[in-house]
């Protein structure tokens, strides 16, 4: 029985449903809608599915007055209260029950396949929620029954906190003299070039010989030497050997 604080919610409403009187089941085989008189339903009206706590109720009511024709309480789905048939997805078998506790099995069918789909999904969603609620309740009970972690202080137990300690600065690197001098920056490609050391330069020019037969003094290259040859300097311009040995930084012509 539902508690006093429980309320009834509506899960699904279908305006057209047909009810059939079905023959008793002769064996354990599934119901077949072909065994019913589908062209002559025994009753037609409205179906309303409600839920109160974890229980669902399938109510068959009159379209105009809303008077209750039959009611099928459902504790689980799929189950005995609602069964499907083997030859159609639009027909179901309901176990109805009156206030005196008497029960009977009837067949219900929908003209539209979409109405049958909504009927099926409404029951599945409700009992999926019921299953989740049961699992949460079990996990809460296991958590409460387990040993609890005591984080409180025992009698006479104390702790020490060090608050407001002096922050120590990190030591800075010192130079060779003990001062905090930063090292020079590394050399980069855009830095000015370094001065190069001057070295003595010795240059020799190619020699040419004068052609005595040519009045214009045309120079002819020596075929046995390189392309230009060595120029011969006049004897008066050649410094003495001792002077050349003492001065190695002069350029020789």
């Amino acid at each position: 029985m539902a508690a006093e604080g429980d309320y009834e919610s509506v899960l699904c409403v279908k305006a057209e449903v047909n009810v059939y009187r079905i023959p008793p089941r002769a064996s354990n085989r599934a119901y077949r809608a072909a065994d019913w008189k589908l062209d002559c339903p025994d009753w037609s009206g409205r179906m309303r599915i409600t839920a109160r706590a974890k229980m669902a109720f399938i109510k068959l009511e009159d379209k105009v007055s809303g008077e209750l024709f039959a009611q099928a309480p459902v504790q689980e789905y799929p189950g005995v209260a609602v069964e499907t048939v083997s030859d159609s997805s639009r027909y179901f078998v309901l176990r109805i029950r009156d206030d005196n506790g008497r029960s009977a099995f009837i067949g219900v069918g929908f003209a539209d396949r979409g109405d049958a789909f909504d009927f099926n999904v409404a029951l599945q969603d409700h009992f999926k929620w019921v299953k989740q609620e049961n699992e949460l309740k079990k996990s809460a009970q296991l958590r409460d029954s387990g040993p609890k972690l005591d984080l409180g202080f025992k009698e006479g137990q104390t702790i020490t906190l060090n608050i407001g300690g002096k922050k120590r600065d990190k030591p800075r690197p010192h130079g060779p003299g003990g001062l905090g001098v930063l090292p020079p920056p590394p050399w980069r490609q855009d830095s000015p070039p370094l001065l190069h050391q001057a070295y003595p330069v010795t240059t020799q020019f190619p020699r040419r010989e004068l052609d005595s037969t040519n009045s214009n003094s045309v120079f002819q290259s020596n075929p046995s030497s390189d392309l230009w040859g060595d120029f011969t300097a006049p004897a008066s311009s050649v410094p003495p050997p001792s002077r050349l040995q003492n001065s190695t930084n002069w350029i020789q012509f």
Side-chain angles (χ1 to χ4, degrees):
M1 182 179 296
E4 295 180 358
D6 295 335
Y7 62 93
E8 187 177 63
S9 60
V10 178
L11 303 180
C12 181
V13 176
K14 293 301 174 184
E16 185 70 28
V17 64
N18 297 323
V19 175
Y20 304 93
R21 186 177 299 174
I22 61 176
R25 182 186 296 181
S27 61
N28 292 331
R29 68 182 182 89
Y31 289 100
R32 296 179 69 254
D35 298 335
W36 309 343
K37 297 179 181 179
L38 300 179
D39 53 344
C40 299
D42 296 293
W43 183 86
S44 296
R46 180 182 64 187
M47 175 184 286
R48 190 162 59 98
I49 305 175
T50 62
R52 190 164 57 241
K54 298 180 180 181
M55 182 77 70
F57 298 91
I58 302 175
K59 299 181 179 182
L60 303 176
E61 302 171 342
D62 186 78
K63 295 180 181 180
V64 180
S65 63
E67 182 181 359
L68 181 64
F69 171 75
Q71 177 177 271
V74 184
Q75 294 182 348
E76 60 180 356
Y77 181 78
V80 181
V82 182
E83 298 183 44
T84 59
V85 298
S86 59
D87 57 346
S88 178
S89 62
R90 296 186 294 114
Y91 297 92
F92 302 86
V93 176
L94 304 181
R95 185 184 65 180
I96 60 176
R97 183 173 294 177
D98 59 6
D99 296 337
N100 297 325
R102 296 178 300 180
S103 61
F105 291 92
I106 61 173
V108 295
F110 300 93
D112 188 3
R113 197 175 301 275
D115 293 341
F117 177 80
D118 296 340
F119 168 78
N120 193 16
V121 170
L123 292 175
Q124 287 180 353
D125 290 346
H126 172 71
F127 287 100
K128 184 183 296 183
W129 170 81
V130 172
K131 183 179 179 180
Q132 293 177 353
E133 289 292 321
N134 293 335
E135 292 177 354
L136 292 176
K137 187 177 180 180
K138 289 181 181 179
S139 62
Q141 291 177 355
L142 292 176
R143 185 172 58 253
D144 295 338
S145 62
K148 296 182 179 180
L149 183 61
D150 187 10
L151 300 178
F153 289 99
K154 305 297 187 295
E155 184 177 358
Q157 185 179 4
T158 60
I159 61 174
T160 303
L161 299 178
N162 186 8
I163 301 176
K166 184 178 180 181
K167 185 177 179 182
R168 303 180 62 183
D169 297 334
K170 295 182 179 180
R172 299 180 60 183
H174 296 283
L179 300 178
V181 180
L182 296 177
W187 183 83
R188 299 182 303 176
Q189 293 183 359
D190 54 354
S191 301
L194 300 177
L195 296 177
H196 297 281
Q197 184 178 0
Y199 294 96
V201 180
T202 302
T203 306
Q204 295 182 358
F205 291 94
R207 182 185 301 173
R208 290 190 178 274
E209 297 180 355
L210 295 177
D211 188 5
S212 60
T213 60
N214 192 350
S215 61
N216 294 330
S217 299
V218 179
F219 291 99
Q220 292 182 356
S221 61
N222 188 3
S224 61
S225 62
D226 56 353
L227 181 62
W228 294 96
D230 297 332
F231 285 102
T232 58
S236 60
S237 63
V238 177
S242 59
R243 187 178 180 181
L244 291 175
Q245 292 177 359
N246 296 329
S247 177
T248 58
N249 292 333
W250 288 91
I251 300 174
Q252 297 178 3
F253 289 93

